[in-house]
Amino acid sequence: MTAGAQTRSLVLRILCAAVIGACGGAAALIVAFGLHPAVEIEMDRDLPRGIASGFYPIERSGDLTFAWTARRADLALPHLSRTAAWSCALTLRGGRSAPADQPAVDLAVDGITVATETATNEFREIRITVPARPSRDGLELTIVSSKTIVPGRSDPRELGVQVDRLVCVPASEGLMLPPAAAIRDSALAAGTFGAAFVLAGAPLGVAAAGAAILAAGQAYPLSTGLAPYVGFAGRMLWFAVWIMALALAVLHGAERWRADPFHRAARFVVVFSAAALYLKLLGLLHPSKLLVDAVFHAHRFEWVLAGRYYFTQAMPDGVSFPYAIGLYVFAAPWSVLARDHVVLLRVVVCAAEVVAGALLYPLIAKAWADRIAGATAVVLFSVVPLPFGLVGNANLTNAFGQSVALAALAAASLLQSGRHRFTTAAGLFLLCSLAFLSHVSTFALLLVTLSGLVLLYWLRGGLELRRTTWAILGVTTLAAVFAVVIYYGHFGEVYATALRVRADAAATTAASAQSLNRPSSAVVSLSGRIVNALTFTVAAIGWPILILGVVGVVRLWFGGFRDRAALLIGAWGIAYLVFLGVAVMRVDAPFQRYAAEFVGRVLFATYPAAVLLAAAGVGWAWRAGIVPRIASVLLLAGAVVVGVREWAGWIR
């Protein structure tokens, strides 16, 4: 085939994949929106900018959340289809100490009052009907209170009523379409990925299937909550374009540098990682996603940008610890591209996680010569439940630190004793230093894991791996010393205070236990602590991955457990047992309050071992016959379902 014919064929395949992806993106969004067209606004998070005015920040009373209104509050849902009538229910209360002060509340639709009710001190629903208006889309809801109250001199707000939630559903059955702009942007995003898959070397059928799967995946977040009405699809379209553009640039740039095309499995890893990053950002940046501690990190990031580098984080028991700033320093150069620091930090953390997961492929491909297992590890890494909980709760520094730690461990496992050893050692030093400076738990866990890797290399690695032992040990030591000198060494008084507080707390606990005539250690039995830790491990990693991991253990056991990947799994196992032993054997009450969090951090640092073992199990099952292959596919599907459920929980 001539060069011109090849170019025409490529262009035709790109167009076909883009069109198939675009059609799938539009159709999936229409179907997903049609399945749940209701608009539900819970006042448990601040409303997106541009659609609301007259609402004060969210307040909490026990488990109840609500927002006070001013005398007048307006809520606009642009592009809401008005081809049919809607039924809306607004839950509110007056929140007055004197019943006679309850205000009359007028609800207006498009400037016309449709209901007037007197508020009470109990939350009650006010139902209204929004009439059809086929000539123009969009809904403008106005809440006007006849009376307001001012809490006091320190709080001069004029308060109308407390709003708990608003729910609008179509008043009649029939297909309700999402806004046209959302359909367009959903189609363009899926079409972008379809075209990119072809450019990455995928056959047309594979590219079309991949685009269809992505279209189905993005339909849920793009159709949920306020996403269709606040331009979320258009915003995420640019993320889709930039993510795939960078992925293709990295892929083709690396191929030119090495003067050798990548294997199709490696290409799959690149495009899958890009798609996974896009889908994770869809959930993490969704307007329904709670910020949790993301604003806290944005404030700390601003401290670093302003030149404040040394600060601490207080714990409930009065102890403080150094708050490592590796994430903030790494993200600082990128701040020129984004004003929204919450979004920036979330993007950096997700990107670091995806890149770290992708590094499992070259590690496995080199150690086991098993590309199926390598690609499987990347997929499984992206659906482990535990990271969804930690990242979703905005434990961003910990998440970033563990991603860098995984990259450092992959680099250490791939370290060679050849002519490029100094360059690779320098890269390993930078990764270790950044990981050590990203979170205090990462410092301890990575240090123990690297030490375990050095020990296993020396005992079981053979001559080739022993040659790299001193390099890994030396780089680890230098990086740890560097982190202490440049950062952790500045907190001597913090450590001294922590020791005093711990000693006082231990003495108080012992005295209290003695006065009550019971042992201070009788909080949870040893067997109970072990069961709790193991139960948490299953929930955090997912039972399908653990089942596949058992198969992987058997497979590697007969292989001798001597290659790079197997020894890295062993190093993670050493770290898990060491730190889990601390969590299980420590029995004083103050420690057990934080036991679950401690075990979670240990699992977060070591769960890639389960991923590698599961990938080894899949690699064996794929070649062992039709029955093991089907079983492995079913378990893979189960792992994906578990992970998707956690991802969907971000925006529920």
Side-chain angles (χ1 to χ4, degrees):
M1 184 182 293
T2 64
Q6 289 180 340
T7 301
R8 287 192 296 272
S9 175
L10 176 62
V11 171
L12 181 61
R13 285 185 285 117
I14 291 173
L15 290 175
C16 288
V19 169
I20 293 172
C23 292
L29 182 65
I30 291 172
V31 171
F33 185 85
L35 292 175
H36 55 88
V39 181
E40 299 184 20
I41 303 176
E42 295 283 352
M43 295 300 174
D44 56 0
R45 65 209 74 190
D46 291 331
L47 296 172
R49 298 174 184 175
I51 72 166
S53 63
F55 289 90
Y56 292 108
I58 300 301
E59 297 184 28
R60 179 180 294 276
S61 176
D63 294 332
L64 176 67
T65 57
F66 58 86
W68 278 103
T69 69
R71 179 180 294 274
R72 171 177 173 149
D74 295 282
L75 182 65
L77 296 177
H79 313 300
L80 180 79
S81 175
R82 297 289 293 275
T83 56
W86 290 74
S87 176
C88 295
L90 183 69
T91 305
L92 56 80
R93 71 180 177 185
R96 304 296 199 268
S97 57
D101 291 338
Q102 297 294 346
V105 181
D106 293 334
L107 297 184
V109 174
D110 304 328
I112 301 173
T113 300
V114 295
T116 300
E117 298 280 349
T118 300
T120 68
N121 277 336
E122 298 294 330
F123 277 105
R124 55 181 295 193
E125 280 189 356
I126 302 178
R127 293 185 173 275
I128 61 174
T129 298
V130 177
R133 189 180 63 186
S135 61
R136 183 162 59 92
D137 288 338
L139 168 64
E140 294 180 7
L141 179 66
T142 303
I143 307 169
V144 179
S145 303
S146 63
K147 300 177 183 179
T148 61
I149 56 174
V150 177
R153 291 183 179 179
S154 61
D155 186 357
R157 297 177 299 167
E158 291 189 359
L159 305 179
V161 292
Q162 297 174 356
V163 177
D164 177 35
R165 69 195 300 255
L166 170 68
V167 179
C168 292
V169 297
S172 59
E173 296 183 357
L175 179 63
M176 188 67 67
L177 293 177
I183 297 175
R184 177 199 65 206
D185 295 333
S186 176
L188 289 174
T192 297
F193 275 93
F197 292 160
V198 173
L199 287 170
L204 178 58
V206 174
I213 293 173
L214 183 131
Q218 73 173 7
Y220 175 69
L222 294 182
S223 64
T224 301
L226 292 174
Y229 310 109
V230 295
F232 181 63
R235 182 187 185 191
M236 296 310 299
L237 170 61
W238 287 107
F239 276 97
V241 171
W242 279 108
I243 288 170
M244 287 312 304
L246 290 173
L248 290 174
V250 169
L251 177 62
H252 293 298
E255 286 184 333
R256 289 197 175 191
W257 177 73
R258 68 199 296 265
D260 184 27
F262 281 122
H263 189 274
R264 61 179 179 272
R267 290 170 172 263
F268 165 81
V269 166
V270 173
V271 297
F272 173 85
S273 299
L277 175 59
Y278 170 68
L279 290 174
K280 288 188 175 184
L281 290 177
L282 276 173
L284 203 57
L285 304 182
H286 195 275
S288 295
K289 175 70 181 71
L290 290 172
L291 292 175
V292 198
D293 287 336
V295 175
F296 164 86
H297 289 289
H299 291 160
R300 297 302 182 269
F301 180 50
E302 289 162 4
W303 286 3
V304 171
L305 292 178
R308 180 179 174 184
Y309 302 118
Y310 302 103
F311 46 87
T312 60
Q313 174 68 18
M315 297 290 288
D317 58 1
V319 174
S320 297
F321 63 90
Y323 208 88
I325 60 173
L327 166 62
Y328 309 137
V329 172
F330 182 84
W334 305 100
S335 63
V336 299
L337 302 176
R339 296 180 182 178
D340 190 331
H341 293 159
V342 169
V343 171
L344 174 62
L345 292 177
R346 283 173 158 176
V347 171
V348 168
V349 168
C350 278
E353 181 185 41
V354 166
V355 171
L359 292 176
L360 296 179
Y361 173 80
L363 171 63
I364 292 176
K366 185 176 182 63
W368 298 338
D370 191 340
R371 300 185 186 277
I372 292 176
T376 301
V378 177
V379 174
L380 291 175
F381 180 84
S382 68
V383 296
V384 173
L386 180 60
F388 288 101
L390 290 171
V391 175
N393 289 331
N395 292 322
L396 300 184
T397 49
N398 190 199
F400 178 78
Q402 289 307 143
S403 295
V404 180
L406 176 55
L409 289 166
S413 298
L414 293 169
L415 188 66
Q416 300 284 347
S417 58
R419 60 177 181 173
H420 297 297
R421 61 186 182 277
F422 294 111
T423 302
T424 53
L428 178 59
F429 170 79
L430 292 175
L431 288 171
C432 289
S433 299
L434 180 58
F436 289 152
L437 291 168
S438 294
H439 200 272
V440 290
S441 69
T442 304
F443 190 113
L445 287 157
L446 178 59
L447 191 62
V448 171
T449 306
L450 284 168
S451 300
L453 185 65
V454 167
L455 177 64
L456 292 176
Y457 270 22
W458 185 259
L459 295 177
R460 298 185 60 84
L463 181 60
E464 179 185 357
L465 294 183
R466 281 190 178 184
R467 289 174 179 172
T468 64
T469 298
W470 294 109
I472 297 174
L473 182 61
V475 168
T476 301
T477 303
L478 287 176
V481 170
F482 175 76
V484 170
V485 170
I486 199 172
Y487 196 77
Y488 293 108
H490 291 261
F491 298 94
E493 181 58 31
V494 172
Y495 305 136
T497 301
L499 290 175
R500 289 196 298 270
V501 171
R502 290 291 190 189
D504 293 343
T508 301
T509 301
S512 176
Q514 187 175 6
S515 66
L516 295 174
N517 195 27
R518 62 178 175 83
S520 61
S521 60
V523 180
V524 180
S525 66
L526 176 61
S527 60
R529 293 193 298 275
I530 294 174
V531 170
N532 289 341
L534 295 178
T535 301
F536 188 71
T537 299
V538 174
I541 297 176
W543 60 267
I545 293 178
L546 292 176
I547 292 175
L548 288 169
V550 172
V551 179
V553 169
V554 175
R555 183 255 190 190
L556 293 181
W557 182 265
F558 287 105
F561 262 103
R562 292 182 178 275
D563 60 80
R564 295 172 183 268
L567 294 178
L568 177 56
I569 292 171
W572 272 316
I574 290 173
Y576 176 79
L577 292 176
V578 167
F579 287 98
L580 191 65
V582 172
V584 170
M585 299 308 297
R586 287 289 298 274
V587 294
D588 50 303
F591 183 85
Q592 288 198 19
R593 285 184 297 168
Y594 307 110
E597 180 182 357
F598 186 88
V599 172
R601 295 194 189 280
V602 174
L603 285 172
F604 195 35
T606 58
Y607 78 85
V611 170
L612 263 65
L613 288 172
V618 172
W620 170 84
W622 193 258
R623 298 174 178 86
I626 187 64
V627 174
R629 179 180 296 189
I630 293 174
S632 67
V633 170
L634 292 176
L635 287 170
L636 275 172
V640 171
V641 169
V642 171
V644 168
R645 188 180 301 153
E646 295 293 323
W647 167 75
W650 280 351
I651 53 182
R652 277 204 279 269

